[in-house]
Every structure is written in C-alpha cells, then in structure tokens.
C-alpha cells in the first residue's frame, strides 16, 4: 500500500524520516534536491529528524561532484552542493523510508529495480508535493541539455516542492 501523508507524519513524529532523492545521473536534480531539503530542515531547526541522501539511476558519473552549472546556480542562492554521485542500489530500498523520483522515467526505472512489494510502496513521485497551480510542471525537467534557465527552473520547482514536503510531514 502506498504511503499516505499520515504514514509520513507518523514516521516523523515517532523518530526520523529518511529520504533518498533519485534522478537519472545524480549530478543535477537529485543532489540539488538533497541540498535544498538539508537547508530547509536546518532553517526549521529539525535536522536531527531527517536522513537525506541522493543517488542516480545510471552509473556514468559515480564519484563525481555535481555538474558545475548546477553548483554555480545553487551557490548563488547560498546552497553548497557537496554530494558525490552514486548509483541507486537494492539496499537503498531498506535503508530509506521514501525514495523520491524526479520524473516518470525515474519512477519506472526505480520500479524495475525495487527488490520487493514493500520496496515498491516506498517509491514516490516528486509531483506529490508540486501543488502550485501556477506551475506548468508536474515533474522536475532534466536540465542537462538546457541553458541557465533550465537550472534556475529546477531550483525554483524543487524549493517550492520541498517546502511543501517539509510542511506536510511536520504538521
Ligand atoms: P540529472 O541530469 O539526472 O538531473 O543528474 C542528468 C545528468 C547526466 C545525464 C543525464 C541527466 N547523462 O546522460 O549523463
């Protein structure tokens, strides 16, 4: 059974919530998501209630820092992305309460590698928290082949969605 908002609130109020963000390469969207949520929980003063990490579907960039363009756009907002890329693995489905994909292709790929029915239930689409009616997007678009606007868009969409996520889980 898919995790409900109440299930997520229960995890938080009983101890900790562990979240793994997943995108294709783990050098643009998911390390940005990880860094933005770390910043939100630090500002909210509840960092000890969260375990936050990110990983990629592919292994092309394993061990590398995030894409230079992503880091430049993030640092302008005071966000220092220090993550080194790694590939998602079967163990992640037992180590993390929720695994959040950035688009429907990430979700399909995660479903293919989920080792159990329980693991499938932990896979959630980021669009669950993208409730802003003003937004034209219901996923986080891959910025890799885009210009500066693509990276800014990723940061705007993630900031909005992750504030929603934090609010929903902590209230
Ligand atoms: P990400 O962006 O999934 O947001 O990290 C990409 C990074 C690299 C590639 C694709 C997407 N790539 O094909 O190498």
């Amino acid at each position: 059974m898919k995790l409900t908002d109440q299930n997520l609130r229960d995890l938080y109020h009983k101890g900790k919530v562990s979240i793994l963000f997943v995108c294709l390469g783990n050098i643009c969207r998911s390390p940005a998501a990880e860094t933005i949520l770390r910043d939100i929980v630090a500002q909210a003063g509840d960092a000890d209630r969260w375990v936050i990490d990110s990983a990629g579907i592919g292994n092309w960039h394993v061990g590398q820092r995030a894409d230079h363009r992503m880091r430049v756009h993030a640092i302008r907002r005071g966000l220092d992305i220090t993550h080194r890329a790694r590939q998602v693995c079967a163990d992640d489905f037992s180590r993390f309460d929720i695994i959040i994909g950035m688009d429907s292709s990430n979700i399909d790929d995660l479903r293919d590698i989920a080792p159990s029915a329980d693991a499938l239930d932990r896979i959630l689409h980021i669009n669950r928290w993208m409730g802003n009616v003003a937004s034209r997007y219901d996923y986080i678009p891959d910025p890799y082949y885009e210009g500066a606007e693509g990276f800014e868009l990723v940061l705007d969409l993630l900031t909005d969605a992750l504030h929603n996520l934090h609010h929903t889980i902590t209230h």
Side-chain angles (χ1 to χ4, degrees), residues 23-30 60-61 142-145:
C23 62
L24 187 57
N26 194 213
I27 54 168
C28 297
R29 294 166 292 174
S30 61
W60 316 286
H61 302 285
D142 185 347
Y144 195 65
Y145 297 104

mmCIF file of all heavy atoms in Angstrom, residues 23-30 60-61 142-145, ligand 1:
data_model
loop_
_atom_site.group_PDB
_atom_site.id
_atom_site.type_symbol
_atom_site.label_atom_id
_atom_site.label_comp_id
_atom_site.label_asym_id
_atom_site.label_seq_id
_atom_site.Cartn_x
_atom_site.Cartn_y
_atom_site.Cartn_z
ATOM 1 N N CYS A 23 17.510 10.845 -9.413
ATOM 2 C CA CYS A 23 17.315 11.325 -10.789
ATOM 3 C C CYS A 23 18.145 10.428 -11.710
ATOM 4 O O CYS A 23 18.633 9.384 -11.273
ATOM 5 C CB CYS A 23 17.682 12.800 -10.923
ATOM 6 S SG CYS A 23 19.413 13.161 -10.568
ATOM 7 N N LEU A 24 18.303 10.829 -12.952
ATOM 8 C CA LEU A 24 18.998 9.946 -13.894
ATOM 9 C C LEU A 24 20.499 9.855 -13.600
ATOM 10 O O LEU A 24 21.044 8.771 -13.430
ATOM 11 C CB LEU A 24 18.739 10.454 -15.322
ATOM 12 C CG LEU A 24 19.249 9.585 -16.460
ATOM 13 C CD1 LEU A 24 18.674 8.177 -16.389
ATOM 14 C CD2 LEU A 24 18.882 10.230 -17.811
ATOM 15 N N GLY A 25 21.169 11.001 -13.534
ATOM 16 C CA GLY A 25 22.633 10.994 -13.429
ATOM 17 C C GLY A 25 23.191 11.252 -12.048
ATOM 18 O O GLY A 25 24.374 11.049 -11.805
ATOM 19 N N ASN A 26 22.353 11.744 -11.117
ATOM 20 C CA ASN A 26 22.770 12.148 -9.763
ATOM 21 C C ASN A 26 23.845 13.248 -9.778
ATOM 22 O O ASN A 26 24.694 13.319 -8.888
ATOM 23 C CB ASN A 26 23.259 10.930 -8.940
ATOM 24 C CG ASN A 26 23.394 11.205 -7.440
ATOM 25 O OD1 ASN A 26 24.271 10.640 -6.779
ATOM 26 N ND2 ASN A 26 22.555 12.031 -6.873
ATOM 27 N N ILE A 27 23.776 14.107 -10.806
ATOM 28 C CA ILE A 27 24.691 15.259 -10.813
ATOM 29 C C ILE A 27 23.946 16.594 -10.960
ATOM 30 O O ILE A 27 24.563 17.645 -10.848
ATOM 31 C CB ILE A 27 25.783 15.157 -11.913
ATOM 32 C CG1 ILE A 27 25.156 14.944 -13.289
ATOM 33 C CG2 ILE A 27 26.795 14.075 -11.571
ATOM 34 C CD1 ILE A 27 26.142 15.121 -14.432
ATOM 35 N N CYS A 28 22.648 16.564 -11.228
ATOM 36 C CA CYS A 28 21.908 17.835 -11.336
ATOM 37 C C CYS A 28 20.737 17.872 -10.351
ATOM 38 O O CYS A 28 20.822 18.488 -9.293
ATOM 39 C CB CYS A 28 21.406 18.061 -12.764
ATOM 40 S SG CYS A 28 22.732 18.220 -13.995
ATOM 41 N N ARG A 29 19.624 17.221 -10.697
ATOM 42 C CA ARG A 29 18.389 17.409 -9.938
ATOM 43 C C ARG A 29 18.415 16.825 -8.528
ATOM 44 O O ARG A 29 18.044 17.502 -7.563
ATOM 45 C CB ARG A 29 17.206 16.818 -10.725
ATOM 46 C CG ARG A 29 16.921 17.549 -12.011
ATOM 47 C CD ARG A 29 16.004 16.777 -12.917
ATOM 48 N NE ARG A 29 16.640 15.573 -13.433
ATOM 49 C CZ ARG A 29 16.043 14.651 -14.159
ATOM 50 N NH1 ARG A 29 14.748 14.781 -14.431
ATOM 51 N NH2 ARG A 29 16.710 13.604 -14.601
ATOM 52 N N SER A 30 18.831 15.541 -8.390
ATOM 53 C CA SER A 30 18.709 14.943 -7.050
ATOM 54 C C SER A 30 19.729 15.491 -6.044
ATOM 55 O O SER A 30 19.365 15.672 -4.870
ATOM 56 C CB SER A 30 18.717 13.414 -7.106
ATOM 57 O OG SER A 30 19.907 12.902 -7.641
ATOM 58 N N TRP A 60 27.059 6.574 -14.833
ATOM 59 C CA TRP A 60 28.037 7.315 -15.650
ATOM 60 C C TRP A 60 28.887 8.281 -14.852
ATOM 61 O O TRP A 60 30.015 8.556 -15.202
ATOM 62 C CB TRP A 60 27.326 8.114 -16.761
ATOM 63 C CG TRP A 60 26.258 7.353 -17.453
ATOM 64 C CD1 TRP A 60 26.455 6.336 -18.357
ATOM 65 C CD2 TRP A 60 24.850 7.511 -17.303
ATOM 66 N NE1 TRP A 60 25.239 5.866 -18.765
ATOM 67 C CE2 TRP A 60 24.243 6.564 -18.140
ATOM 68 C CE3 TRP A 60 24.044 8.357 -16.542
ATOM 69 C CZ2 TRP A 60 22.858 6.436 -18.247
ATOM 70 C CZ3 TRP A 60 22.670 8.241 -16.637
ATOM 71 C CH2 TRP A 60 22.094 7.288 -17.486
ATOM 72 N N HIS A 61 28.343 8.847 -13.794
ATOM 73 C CA HIS A 61 29.041 9.941 -13.093
ATOM 74 C C HIS A 61 29.454 9.568 -11.672
ATOM 75 O O HIS A 61 29.782 10.451 -10.881
ATOM 76 C CB HIS A 61 28.142 11.178 -13.059
ATOM 77 C CG HIS A 61 27.741 11.642 -14.421
ATOM 78 N ND1 HIS A 61 28.597 12.314 -15.263
ATOM 79 C CD2 HIS A 61 26.587 11.484 -15.109
ATOM 80 C CE1 HIS A 61 27.974 12.574 -16.398
ATOM 81 N NE2 HIS A 61 26.753 12.072 -16.343
ATOM 82 N N ASP A 142 14.720 17.619 -16.731
ATOM 83 C CA ASP A 142 16.165 17.382 -16.793
ATOM 84 C C ASP A 142 16.850 18.621 -17.402
ATOM 85 O O ASP A 142 16.556 18.996 -18.535
ATOM 86 C CB ASP A 142 16.386 16.145 -17.687
ATOM 87 C CG ASP A 142 17.838 15.719 -17.735
ATOM 88 O OD1 ASP A 142 18.704 16.498 -17.294
ATOM 89 O OD2 ASP A 142 18.094 14.603 -18.225
ATOM 90 N N PRO A 143 17.766 19.266 -16.677
ATOM 91 C CA PRO A 143 18.385 20.497 -17.182
ATOM 92 C C PRO A 143 19.656 20.238 -17.990
ATOM 93 O O PRO A 143 20.255 21.181 -18.509
ATOM 94 C CB PRO A 143 18.755 21.232 -15.884
ATOM 95 C CG PRO A 143 19.139 20.116 -14.953
ATOM 96 C CD PRO A 143 18.244 18.945 -15.312
ATOM 97 N N TYR A 144 20.073 18.983 -18.111
ATOM 98 C CA TYR A 144 21.422 18.658 -18.612
ATOM 99 C C TYR A 144 21.709 19.272 -19.971
ATOM 100 O O TYR A 144 22.803 19.762 -20.209
ATOM 101 C CB TYR A 144 21.589 17.140 -18.651
ATOM 102 C CG TYR A 144 23.015 16.677 -18.788
ATOM 103 C CD1 TYR A 144 23.949 16.914 -17.768
ATOM 104 C CD2 TYR A 144 23.445 15.961 -19.904
ATOM 105 C CE1 TYR A 144 25.260 16.474 -17.871
ATOM 106 C CE2 TYR A 144 24.755 15.517 -20.008
ATOM 107 C CZ TYR A 144 25.654 15.772 -18.994
ATOM 108 O OH TYR A 144 26.956 15.333 -19.101
ATOM 109 N N TYR A 145 20.719 19.269 -20.872
ATOM 110 C CA TYR A 145 20.940 19.817 -22.212
ATOM 111 C C TYR A 145 20.302 21.202 -22.369
ATOM 112 O O TYR A 145 20.070 21.674 -23.483
ATOM 113 C CB TYR A 145 20.410 18.850 -23.281
ATOM 114 C CG TYR A 145 21.166 17.542 -23.256
ATOM 115 C CD1 TYR A 145 20.591 16.394 -22.700
ATOM 116 C CD2 TYR A 145 22.466 17.459 -23.745
ATOM 117 C CE1 TYR A 145 21.293 15.202 -22.634
ATOM 118 C CE2 TYR A 145 23.178 16.269 -23.684
ATOM 119 C CZ TYR A 145 22.589 15.148 -23.124
ATOM 120 O OH TYR A 145 23.290 13.979 -23.064
HETATM 121 P P1 LIG B 1 20.283 14.587 -13.640
HETATM 122 O O1 LIG B 1 20.753 15.139 -15.088
HETATM 123 O O2 LIG B 1 19.523 13.307 -13.895
HETATM 124 O O3 LIG B 1 19.398 15.676 -13.130
HETATM 125 O O4 LIG B 1 21.551 14.381 -12.823
HETATM 126 C C1 LIG B 1 21.470 14.329 -15.971
HETATM 127 C C2 LIG B 1 22.838 14.227 -15.830
HETATM 128 C C3 LIG B 1 23.568 13.446 -16.705
HETATM 129 C C4 LIG B 1 22.916 12.764 -17.707
HETATM 130 C C5 LIG B 1 21.542 12.847 -17.834
HETATM 131 C C6 LIG B 1 20.817 13.630 -16.952
HETATM 132 N N1 LIG B 1 23.660 11.999 -18.624
HETATM 133 O O5 LIG B 1 23.078 11.442 -19.566
HETATM 134 O O6 LIG B 1 24.898 11.871 -18.477
#
